[in-house]
Amino acid sequence: MIDTDNFYKSLGALRQIGPDEQLMIAEGLRVACEVHQWTLFLEQVMNTEDRLQALFNSARKVKQVIPLSTRSGWLAIRCPSVVPEDETAVSLAKLRQVVEELGISIDSSYG
């Protein structure tokens, strides 16, 4: 289980993020969090062979993350939280590790 308020606050959100909203954590990088999962949207990364390879390589290094593409053709990564205990800190660590593996820096001015 993920505490969505703490998740977003740890990423620099200045206000409560609603269930239909996403938080921009860097240029072209948005995250949506629910109690049972987070999804990272890579808006400026198209499905080129190099980017797909980087996405799958980063997903292999972080347990439980799933690479996918959205209906609009953008790449994304999802990480489920399947335990009833609070996994907010673990979820944040996984998100940061994925972003780091992709070679993207999170700029707190976007929160």
Side-chain angles (χ1 to χ4, degrees):
M1 173 179 94
I2 303 169
D3 180 331
T4 57
D5 289 336
N6 284 338
F7 183 89
Y8 285 127
K9 188 183 286 185
S10 294
L11 293 171
L14 302 175
R15 63 173 178 81
Q16 189 172 10
I17 305 296
D20 295 327
E21 294 181 291
Q22 299 164 353
L23 180 67
M24 180 154 305
I25 57 175
E27 186 176 344
L29 196 65
R30 297 178 292 126
V31 66
C33 184
E34 300 171 21
V35 174
H36 298 292
Q37 69 183 9
W38 57 258
T39 304
L40 179 68
F41 299 95
L42 305 158
E43 294 178 328
Q44 297 182 354
V45 180
M46 293 301 290
N47 288 338
T48 64
E49 189 172 335
D50 290 346
R51 295 313 298 168
L52 284 171
Q53 187 68 36
L55 182 72
F56 278 91
N57 285 341
S58 67
R60 278 189 205 104
K61 294 177 183 178
V62 183
K63 267 187 169 177
Q64 292 182 314
V65 299
I66 304 160
L68 55 106
S69 64
T70 65
R71 288 182 291 210
S72 59
W74 300 111
L75 297 176
I77 296 176
R78 179 167 290 150
C79 183
S81 174
V82 295
V83 297
E85 295 83 25
D86 186 0
E87 277 194 314
T88 306
V90 171
S91 294
L92 283 162
K94 288 180 183 181
L95 174 67
R96 288 187 172 108
Q97 186 178 356
V98 164
V99 170
E100 184 178 302
E101 290 291 336
L102 289 170
I104 301 170
S105 63
I106 297 176
D107 182 349
S108 62
S109 68
Y110 280 94

